[in-house]
């Protein structure tokens, strides 16, 4: 708070973006946390099964997807930095680049799903595949939503809605996207690697 | 410029940690120490996301507490269940 005497006290930063999205982010993180913990407990009860079928997962796809999501997040950060400098066109380019990374993730993940479904593996196959499919598909849907939000923000940006003074929408979209990345950062080692 | 360098540095570091995670899996490392190392990389990468990408550095302790609390509860839960599975 800047006092009338002109003395500035230390100011706590506000959460970036709309407060409402943060409640949504917290709720989503809670759901994923429960999912991760239940997965871990189930793994504890079926270690051999989980180790056996984890070996059938494509670690290369998982790793590439992790890099794609991290890079998408980086591009989103660059987009936010650009709008803070009033560089709207640059901001839009970074957002398009992040969509490109997201699209890459969806393509690779879709192929992973196809490779499992095409050989008859589904939610009912066993406990491991139930968790693998439901966890990653639930995350997949969040990636799609994140991309829709970013695309909506691109449209608004093209209409001149955002500037250095007002860019709450971009920060809101960015915050949601980073949550999607944050979840995958735990999901990849937990489901694909830890044995 | 230094902000850009920090952001880019964080991105590159996270990619390196991802390659490390993948390598651990690819070469079949398992057991307590490798898994704890993997969970450490999760903590580091997630902290980068929360602090630097989400921009929560300097935000009120309540919000940072919720985010870091989520992270630590998840990682510690995974660690505990893993350690239980090895005994």
């Amino acid at each position: 708070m800047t006092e009338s005497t002109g003395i500035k006290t230390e100011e706590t930063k506000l959460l970036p973006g709309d407060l409402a999205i943060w409640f949504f982010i917290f709720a989503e993180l809670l759901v994923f946390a429960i999912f991760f913990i239940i997965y871990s407990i189930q793994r504890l009860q079926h270690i051999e099964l989980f180790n056996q079928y984890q070996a059938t997962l494509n670690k290369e796809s998982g790793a590439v997807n992790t890099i794609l999501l991290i890079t998408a997040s980086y591009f989103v950060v660059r987009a936010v930095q650009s709008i803070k400098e009033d560089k709207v066109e640059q901001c839009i380019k970074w957002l398009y680049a992040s969509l490109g990374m997201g699209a890459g993730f969806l393509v690779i993940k879709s192929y992973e799903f196809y490779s499992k479904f095409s050989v008859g593996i589904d939610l009912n196959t066993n406990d491991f595949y139930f968790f693998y499919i439901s966890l990653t598909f639930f995350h997949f849907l969040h990636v799609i939503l994140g991309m829709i939000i970013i695309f909506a923000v691109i449209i608004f940006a093209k209409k001149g809605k955002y500037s250095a003074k007002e860019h709450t929408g971009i920060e809101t979209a960015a915050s949601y996207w980073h949550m999607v990345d944050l979840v995958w950062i735990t999901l990849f080692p937990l489901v694909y690697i830890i044995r | 410029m230094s902000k850009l360098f920090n952001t880019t540095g964080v991105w590159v570091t996270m990619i390196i940690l991802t390659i490390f995670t993948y390598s651990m899996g690819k070469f079949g490392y398992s057991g307590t120490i490798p898994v704890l190392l993997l969970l450490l990389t999760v903590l580091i990468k997630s902290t980068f996301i929360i602090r630097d990408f989400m921009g929560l550095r300097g935000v009120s302790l309540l919000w940072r507490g919720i985010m870091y609390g989520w992270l630590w509860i998840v990682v510690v839960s995974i660690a505990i269940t893993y350690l239980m599975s090895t005994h």
Side-chain angles (χ1 to χ4, degrees):
Chain A
M1 181 88 84
T2 306
E3 312 218 5
S4 59
T5 57
I7 299 168
K8 269 195 187 166
T9 55
E10 202 56 49
E11 194 167 336
T12 305
K13 273 174 55 184
L14 297 174
L15 277 175
D18 231 52
L19 184 60
I21 199 69
W22 282 97
F23 285 102
F24 185 50
I25 286 170
F26 297 149
E28 297 293 287
L29 287 177
L30 178 62
V31 171
F32 275 107
I34 292 169
F35 231 140
F36 290 152
I37 292 169
I38 292 175
Y39 171 92
S40 298
I41 294 170
Q42 282 297 307
R43 181 187 170 277
L44 175 61
Q45 294 172 350
H46 306 282
I47 297 172
E48 307 262 324
L49 178 90
F50 274 56
N51 282 346
Q52 179 184 353
Y53 290 101
Q54 185 195 58
T56 68
L57 298 185
N58 190 324
K59 291 179 184 45
E60 286 74 19
S61 299
V64 170
N65 270 347
T66 306
I67 290 172
L68 287 173
L69 284 185
I70 288 172
T71 304
S73 274
Y74 171 67
F75 290 163
V76 165
V77 170
R78 295 299 303 271
V80 172
Q81 285 172 350
S82 295
I83 198 64
K84 284 182 176 177
E85 294 168 11
D86 239 348
K87 295 173 181 172
V88 179
E89 285 305 314
Q90 198 174 82
C91 171
I92 292 171
K93 283 178 186 167
W94 283 119
L95 290 175
Y96 270 126
S98 73
L99 283 184
M101 297 295 108
F105 176 94
L106 294 180
V107 166
I108 292 173
K109 197 69 206 130
S110 296
Y111 181 75
E112 263 193 83
F113 286 137
Y114 168 77
S115 70
K116 292 291 180 281
F117 296 152
S118 64
V119 295
I121 293 169
D122 59 28
L123 286 168
N124 297 314
T125 301
N126 60 44
D127 280 351
F128 174 77
Y129 282 128
F130 170 81
F131 278 99
Y132 162 70
I133 293 169
S134 53
L135 246 175
T136 57
F137 187 70
F138 191 48
H139 179 267
F140 184 90
L141 295 177
H142 284 73
V143 172
I144 293 174
L145 178 57
M147 289 176 65
I148 291 171
I149 294 171
I150 288 176
F151 187 67
V153 157
I154 287 173
I155 292 173
F156 285 129
K158 285 184 168 184
K159 291 181 178 175
K161 192 178 174 192
Y162 303 119
S163 66
K165 280 189 184 161
E166 168 47 50
H167 50 268
T168 304
I170 296 180
E171 286 187 326
T172 300
S175 299
Y176 183 82
W177 184 261
H178 294 315
M179 181 273 292
V180 170
D181 189 14
L182 184 65
V183 166
W184 184 262
I185 278 171
T186 302
L187 191 157
F188 169 57
L190 176 62
V191 176
Y192 287 76
I193 308 292
I194 288 175
R195 61 189 290 110
Chain B
M1 192 64 181
S2 84
K3 202 177 227 178
L4 171 59
F5 177 75
N6 287 342
T7 306
T8 305
V10 162
W11 170 55
V12 170
T13 303
M14 287 203 285
I15 290 179
I16 291 170
L17 289 173
T18 300
I19 294 169
F20 171 77
T21 300
Y22 162 74
S23 302
M24 296 284 276
K26 187 67 181 172
F27 294 112
Y29 285 100
S30 63
T32 304
I33 302 294
V35 168
L36 290 179
L37 276 176
L38 286 171
L39 292 176
L40 180 61
T41 68
V42 171
L43 280 174
I44 294 170
K45 287 160 75 177
S46 299
T47 299
F48 280 142
I49 294 281
I50 293 168
R51 189 188 66 184
D52 297 302
F53 280 15
M54 282 180 155
L56 297 197
R57 192 197 297 253
V59 161
S60 136
L61 191 57
L62 169 65
W63 307 122
R64 281 185 287 138
I66 291 172
M67 293 302 294
Y68 287 118
W70 174 88
L71 173 61
W72 279 90
I73 287 171
V74 166
V75 170
V76 168
S77 301
I78 293 170
I80 289 172
T81 52
Y82 184 82
L83 290 171
M84 286 170 68
S85 74
T86 59
H87 292 95

